[in-house]
């Protein structure tokens, strides 16, 4: 199987061009290639596929083999691959995901290779039933709601960006025990499809620092849908403006919850290397 290793702000995946390659069991392949000791090493596997609804289709599998609806850093790299490898030749494209069809703007450098991508992440979903989060009322919002974990109470704000997110604001994110609390929150009974967890420190009204515990992958260097959820959660709690710079472990993302109700994310997309693996 031929593949390309790419990352968005350090959130790295193995990408396969399914216009020319065939992946019979993507869940099994994701587990194998993601292993950082015995495989290629990545946060998961992303398939770049033809679509009858958009210019291109993305399927994303976590390192544990589970399939996720969306990946904000991954979708930027899909756009870069499609343009740089001549699948598409335009700088505004549409991409089909498990969270719907998204529109992306591509920004190239002097070598005409894509360096940055702006993604219309759509309208954040805030109702419990849409995220989903158990509780009443089903059409209510989860904003600054207490959740007890290991005799500690966290105030959570939940958002769906096509996949579920639980945002928790902390005083010192660097020293926070994400590896202790992340998996417990991810698998808590109130989250029917598990959840991604963002631990966030407010720097100013326009700047935050985020660490991410990703559903099915553990702590990752960045999460684009998570950064989008953080922008929404910060505004809902009156902690930030609707336009912020988010410092993630692997790099920075620019987020804007715009007047049209849509969330826009802008960030880098980097190709690391190409290779071939015998499965």
């Amino acid at each position: 199987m031929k593949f390309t290793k790419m990352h968005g702000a350090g959130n790295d995946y193995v990408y396969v061009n399914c216009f020319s390659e065939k992946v019979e069991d993507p869940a099994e392949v994701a587990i194998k290639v993601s292993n950082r000791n015995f495989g290629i090493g990545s946060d998961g596997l992303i398939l770049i596929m033809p679509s009858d609804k958009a210019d291109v289709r993305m399927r994303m599998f976590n390192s544990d083999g589970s399939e996720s609806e969306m990946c904000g850093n991954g979708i930027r790299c899909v756009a870069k691959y499609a343009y740089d490898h001549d699948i598409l030749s335009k700088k505004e494209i549409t991409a089909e995901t498990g969270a719907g069809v998204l529109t992306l703007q591509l920004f190239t450098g002097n070598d005409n290779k894509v360096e940055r991508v702006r993604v219309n992440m759509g309208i954040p979903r805030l109702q419990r039933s849409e995220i989903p989060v158990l509780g009443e009322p089903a059409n209510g919002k989860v904003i600054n709601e207490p959740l007890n974990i290991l005799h500690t109470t966290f105030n959570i704000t939940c958002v769906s960006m096509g996949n579920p997110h639980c945002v928790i604001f902390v005083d010192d994110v660097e020293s926070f025990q994400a590896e202790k609390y992340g998996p417990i929150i991810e698998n808590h009974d109130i989250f029917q499809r598990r959840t991604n967890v963002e631990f966030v420190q407010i720097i100013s009204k326009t700047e935050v620092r985020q660490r991410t515990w990703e559903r099915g992958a553990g702590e990752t260097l960045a999460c684009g849908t998570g950064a989008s959820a953080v922008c929404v959660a910060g505004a809902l709690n009156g902690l930030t403006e609707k336009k912020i710079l988010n410092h993630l472990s692997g790099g920075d993302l620019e987020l804007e919850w715009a007047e049209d109700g849509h969330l826009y994310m802008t960030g880098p997309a980097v190709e690391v290397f190409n290779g071939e693996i015998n499965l």
Side-chain angles (χ1 to χ4, degrees), residues 116-223:
R116 294 173 62 75
V117 178
R118 185 174 191 254
V119 187
N120 181 345
M121 301 287 287
I123 297 174
R125 301 165 196 175
L126 302 176
Q127 291 186 2
R128 285 182 180 275
S129 58
E130 294 177 312
I131 297 169
V133 184
L134 290 177
E136 296 294 336
N139 62 352
K141 299 175 182 177
V142 185
I143 302 174
N144 202 36
E145 187 172 291
L147 180 69
N148 295 315
I149 302 290
L150 299 179
H151 309 294
T152 301
T153 300
F154 294 103
N155 290 322
I156 66 172
T157 298
C158 296
V159 180
S160 173
M161 296 303 307
N163 57 352
H165 292 274
C166 173
V167 179
I168 298 172
F169 295 99
V170 299
D171 293 331
D172 183 0
V173 74
E174 300 301 342
S175 63
F176 185 82
Q177 294 177 292
E179 67 287 345
K180 175 180 178 180
Y181 293 105
I184 299 172
I185 298 170
E186 173 195 350
N187 294 286
H188 196 282
D189 291 344
I190 65 169
F191 301 111
Q192 296 148 284
R193 295 205 296 264
R194 296 189 292 166
T195 190
N196 300 283
V197 191
E198 283 74 42
F199 302 104
V200 185
Q201 180 178 337
I202 302 295
I203 298 172
S204 72
K205 281 281 192 177
T206 58
E207 205 169 353
V208 302
R209 166 74 173 100
Q210 169 184 328
R211 287 176 65 193
T212 302
W213 184 270
E214 278 201 58
R215 176 184 59 170
E219 184 168 7
T220 58
L221 294 182
C223 178

Side-chain angles (χ1 to χ4, degrees), residues 247-267:
H247 303 289
L248 300 105
S249 299
D252 295 347
L253 295 176
E254 300 164 29
L255 295 311
E256 181 181 6
W257 193 9
E259 292 299 319
D260 63 4
H262 290 239
L263 197 294
Y264 295 87
M265 172 193 62
T266 305

